[in-house]
Amino acid sequence: MLGLLRETGEPSVAAPQRTLSDLDELIADTRSAGTSVRSRSRGSLDTLPAVVSREGYRIVQEGLTNAARHGHGPVTVRVDVSPDGLEIELINAVARSASGGAAAPGGGRGLIGMRERVLLLGGRVTAGVDGEVWRVRVRLPIGADG
């Protein structure tokens, strides 16, 4: 979806898009790459609208990638589906710089892309240091207003 909006002029490959139904596989792949992940989901991921499930997957994927690159320790992933919305939360310890403070965030497009996805779907996102952890919280509407 975002690729179409950015229109780089490069041809795109039409591959099947992953959805939150593939969450267990994403978590397993992340663990096999060496990142400790604790996960919990509630509600039926299969009942989500396709666009919400697809973008939710990309949000979790980006959060796990950021945690592996910039975080420290295990990552906790929570995905909850309710009749009116999807909630995603990712938490990991903040990596420390050599001076002992929180390490500066990277200069990539990860959080920007995450925010763009959430805003296009009418949701809310917060991301940042919360005490000793980095926390990303996303809420996407799925009800009649979403």
Side-chain angles (χ1 to χ4, degrees):
M1 177 167 59
L2 291 176
L4 291 174
L5 293 174
R6 289 190 181 121
E7 292 187 41
T8 62
E10 297 177 19
S12 64
V13 177
Q17 298 291 312
R18 300 281 178 129
T19 67
L20 284 172
S21 295
D22 302 306
L23 182 62
D24 289 340
E25 184 178 348
L26 174 62
I27 300 291
D29 289 348
T30 303
R31 287 176 178 146
S32 69
T35 300
S36 175
V37 181
R38 294 178 271 199
S39 67
R40 178 183 65 83
S41 63
R42 285 192 310 188
S44 178
L45 299 175
D46 295 332
T47 63
L48 290 168
V51 67
V52 172
S53 186
R54 185 177 59 246
E55 298 307 322
Y57 177 92
R58 296 286 294 134
I59 289 165
V60 173
Q61 183 182 43
E62 185 60 45
L64 289 171
T65 299
N66 287 347
R69 286 185 182 158
H70 308 293
H72 175 71
V75 183
T76 301
V77 178
R78 179 183 58 83
V79 178
D80 291 334
V81 179
S82 67
D84 64 336
L86 169 67
E87 291 186 15
I88 298 169
E89 183 176 56
L90 295 107
I91 302 169
N92 63 282
V94 177
R96 296 288 169 193
S97 67
S99 64
R109 295 194 48 84
L111 288 175
I112 294 169
M114 193 181 291
R115 282 191 170 94
E116 288 172 345
R117 284 182 167 79
V118 171
L119 293 176
L120 283 170
L121 294 174
R124 296 185 318 262
V125 61
T126 58
V129 176
D130 183 5
E132 295 293 316
V133 299
W134 178 267
R135 183 183 312 268
V136 175
R137 282 190 181 135
V138 171
R139 171 115 174 109
L140 298 175
I142 59 173
D145 296 335

